[in-house]
Amino acid sequence: MNTADLGLPVDVPSTALFTDQYELTMLQAALKAGTAERRSVFEVFTRRLPEGRRYGVVAGTGRVLDAVENFRFDAGVLGFLRERNIVDEATLEWLASYRFSGDVWGYPEGEVYFPGSPIMRVEGSFAEGVLLETVILSILNHDSAIAAAASRMSSAAGHRPLIEMGARRTHELAAVAASRAAYVGGFASTSDLAAGFRYNIPTVGTSAHAFTLLHDRERDAFQAQVNSLGRNTTLLVDTYDVAEAVRTAVEIAGPELGAVRIDSGDLLLVAHRVRQQLDELGATATKIIVTSDLDEYAIASLAAAPVDAYGVGTQLVTGSGHPTASMVYKLVARAESDDPKAPLVPVAKKSSGGKTSIGGRKWAARRLDADGVAEAEVVGTGIVPPELADRQLLVELVKGGDVVAREPLDVVRDRHTAARATLPLSATQLSRGEPVIPTEYVHGRSGS
């Protein structure tokens, strides 16, 4: 299955070099040592949430599936590795036929997670799994950070829609991924056409201050826009005098004017004044959209304002202060030998400084109270307790190298809304705090 199965118009290019050099040098050494084919289990998790955050959001899973499918070493890539003498000829020969043939399990995209949650589990040979570390982490860390910020913003916005408009504040390709992650987290649309083209996200946009400044009079700019886009357009009213602009906008478009946008000033005060003026002019159905360096705190402060939608840029695409989710990709179990039936042995890094990890192939389940509210993230090895059997979180994403769980983005977005609704009410508070539910570990024998 590939992106065409969802009607997506852009194929993902080879992702084989979206990696760190030591992934390949480890492969070479393991091939020479005869350990490369040992069955191995890698897990993606985070030891802690960003400071003050109450939950994380899994985002980027669909992009990970694309990346795994397209992790191929073609002639050009192999030539580059040979020219730079990155690995030897035996390793290059092995890479030439690389196709991931293992299994991937993970939290479904849009689900929430907590410290220690096994967000993704990659199973296969050491050689196959180790190569995927960097590309998987680069996608999940970026997208999950953006989705978490988007989730906080959408929670603060309530039922008012949010517009993602941060393309000019980040790398041009990161902007497309950020739009996708923002949509997962609850945003309704994007200004970025590449995101609309690639992921079928609704796109919006009308004009900037430059269009007003182009014309001799603000009235001429408004008239030109209405003539072109219709009365239901959104007019930007803060280039000069807001009150005069609102009056002119209604004179030209009439009460059918779709919306006005405010991009500067004291948004709370200006929004109240504009709403009063619109109503007095008979434009009672005209909406007010606010932009201007918004984050979740600014959005929350406008909860009582007569605002109908928010446009968010810089703070969203930078994770609102936390541009990474700090996820890691660790080997947690490996076979005792190359024998496919050899039992798995738990392995774990032991070190000081908070970088220890827990070995063993893990499952995860979320325990709910009598009212259906989450009360604990339970992570364990071995047999799943019967009372948690129907609350398991990991789902199969790749089976024998084939993607089995690609899904439309709207399904992912709805899943996040539902998952967030099961958390304790304090999850939506913007005040700093610990994870909204604790992570409990259940130790047992390693799975085979």
Side-chain angles (χ1 to χ4, degrees), residues 143-162:
D143 289 22
S144 295
I146 304 305
S151 179
R152 286 162 59 85
M153 293 174 188
S154 66
S155 178
H159 296 295
R160 296 170 177 174
L162 290 156

Side-chain angles (χ1 to χ4, degrees), residues 58-182:
V58 179
T61 307
R63 297 208 306 123
V64 166
L65 298 180
D66 289 341
V68 171
E69 271 192 333
N70 291 279
F71 206 90
R72 304 282 188 268
F73 292 83
D74 58 25
V77 170
L78 292 171
F80 165 79
L81 296 175
R82 180 178 290 108
E83 179 186 339
R84 296 292 183 92
N85 197 31
I86 303 296
V87 291
D88 61 19
E89 284 298 323
T91 305
L92 290 172
E93 184 178 348
W94 189 93
L95 291 173
S97 59
Y98 177 87
R99 300 289 187 275
F100 180 73
S101 63
D103 302 328
V104 179
W105 290 71
Y107 280 37
E109 189 166 14
E111 183 58 84
V112 297
Y113 70 87
F114 300 91
S117 297
I119 296 163
M120 186 168 286
R121 188 175 73 221
V122 178
E123 304 183 37
S125 69
F126 176 83
E128 284 191 328
V130 73
L131 292 182
L132 299 176
E133 174 181 4
T134 302
V135 69
I136 287 177
L137 286 180
S138 66
I139 293 171
L140 293 181
N141 269 316
H142 174 269
D143 289 22
S144 295
I146 304 305
S151 179
R152 286 162 59 85
M153 293 174 188
S154 66
S155 178
H159 296 295
R160 296 170 177 174
L162 290 156
I163 306 164
E164 184 280 311
M165 47 195 306
R168 63 191 62 194
R169 299 292 186 247
T170 188
H171 185 279
E172 68 272 17
L173 298 181
V176 182
S179 293
R180 183 186 183 283

Side-chain angles (χ1 to χ4, degrees), residues 152-153 155-158 160 268 294-305 310 428 430:
R152 286 162 59 85
M153 293 174 188
S155 178
R160 296 170 177 174
L268 179 62
L294 297 177
D295 61 10
E296 61 265 50
Y297 302 102
I299 292 169
S301 73
L302 293 168
Y310 306 93
T428 60
L430 296 181

Side-chain angles (χ1 to χ4, degrees), residues 7-261:
L8 302 178
V10 180
D11 288 330
V12 177
S14 171
T15 52
L17 292 184
F18 292 169
T19 191
D20 291 305
Q21 180 168 314
Y22 77 172
E23 315 291 9
L24 300 187
T25 54
M26 282 192 287
L27 168 65
Q28 175 177 304
L31 288 170
K32 286 190 173 183
T35 54
E37 296 305 319
R38 285 189 176 184
R39 190 160 57 102
S40 299
V41 180
F42 294 87
E43 287 178 353
V44 176
F45 63 93
T46 184
R47 296 183 176 95
R48 64 191 66 84
L49 297 179
E51 183 181 358
R53 295 287 172 88
R54 314 304 297 276
Y55 62 93
V57 180
V58 179
T61 307
R63 297 208 306 123
V64 166
L65 298 180
D66 289 341
V68 171
E69 271 192 333
N70 291 279
F71 206 90
R72 304 282 188 268
F73 292 83
D74 58 25
V77 170
L78 292 171
F80 165 79
L81 296 175
R82 180 178 290 108
E83 179 186 339
R84 296 292 183 92
N85 197 31
I86 303 296
V87 291
D88 61 19
E89 284 298 323
T91 305
L92 290 172
E93 184 178 348
W94 189 93
L95 291 173
S97 59
Y98 177 87
R99 300 289 187 275
F100 180 73
S101 63
D103 302 328
V104 179
W105 290 71
Y107 280 37
E109 189 166 14
E111 183 58 84
V112 297
Y113 70 87
F114 300 91
S117 297
I119 296 163
M120 186 168 286
R121 188 175 73 221
V122 178
E123 304 183 37
S125 69
F126 176 83
E128 284 191 328
V130 73
L131 292 182
L132 299 176
E133 174 181 4
T134 302
V135 69
I136 287 177
L137 286 180
S138 66
I139 293 171
L140 293 181
N141 269 316
H142 174 269
D143 289 22
S144 295
I146 304 305
S151 179
R152 286 162 59 85
M153 293 174 188
S154 66
S155 178
H159 296 295
R160 296 170 177 174
L162 290 156
I163 306 164
E164 184 280 311
M165 47 195 306
R168 63 191 62 194
R169 299 292 186 247
T170 188
H171 185 279
E172 68 272 17
L173 298 181
V176 182
S179 293
R180 183 186 183 283
Y183 194 70
V184 170
F187 274 58
S189 58
T190 179
S191 66
D192 189 67
L193 289 177
F197 180 68
R198 176 70 180 83
Y199 296 114
N200 200 31
I201 299 170
T203 58
V204 297
T206 51
S207 68
H209 293 104
F211 186 74
T212 301
L213 296 171
L214 170 68
H215 294 80
D216 295 335
R217 299 183 304 166
E218 189 172 51
R219 173 180 294 275
D220 296 336
F222 287 176
Q223 187 67 65
Q225 185 173 327
V226 170
N227 289 347
S228 174
L229 302 178
R231 297 177 184 273
N232 195 43
T233 190
T234 299
L235 295 175
L236 181 58
V237 295
D238 72 327
T239 305
Y240 304 117
D241 179 84
V242 172
E244 180 61 29
V246 170
R247 184 162 40 253
T248 301
V250 176
E251 285 179 8
I252 291 172
E256 297 87 3
L257 175 62
V260 296
R261 179 163 74 94

Side-chain angles (χ1 to χ4, degrees), residues 241-389:
D241 179 84
V242 172
E244 180 61 29
V246 170
R247 184 162 40 253
T248 301
V250 176
E251 285 179 8
I252 291 172
E256 297 87 3
L257 175 62
V260 296
R261 179 163 74 94
I262 306 167
D263 188 50
S264 60
D266 183 336
L267 297 179
L268 179 62
L269 175 63
V270 176
H272 277 286
R273 288 178 174 174
V274 169
R275 180 73 271 159
Q276 180 179 354
Q277 185 180 10
L278 287 170
D279 291 346
E280 290 174 350
L281 292 171
T284 56
T286 299
K287 297 184 183 330
I288 297 175
I289 300 170
V290 295
T291 52
S292 184
D293 295 324
L294 297 177
D295 61 10
E296 61 265 50
Y297 302 102
I299 292 169
S301 73
L302 293 168
V307 171
D308 298 287
Y310 306 93
V312 189
T314 302
Q315 292 302 316
L316 174 67
V317 299
T318 57
S320 196
H322 298 290
T324 177
S326 298
M327 295 175 186
V328 295
Y329 183 101
K330 297 297 181 183
L331 181 66
V332 297
R334 52 87 175 168
E336 294 179 332
S337 70
D338 289 348
D339 185 345
K341 296 181 180 179
L344 290 173
V345 177
V347 294
K349 175 181 178 180
K350 298 185 184 300
S351 67
S352 58
K355 284 196 171 184
T356 58
S357 56
I358 298 173
R361 180 179 183 272
K362 299 175 194 69
W363 50 264
R366 189 162 301 141
R367 191 172 66 238
L368 307 179
D369 65 17
D371 296 318
V373 177
E375 61 179 13
E377 192 88 338
V378 185
V379 177
T381 57
I383 299 173
V384 181
E387 66 273 15
L388 295 175

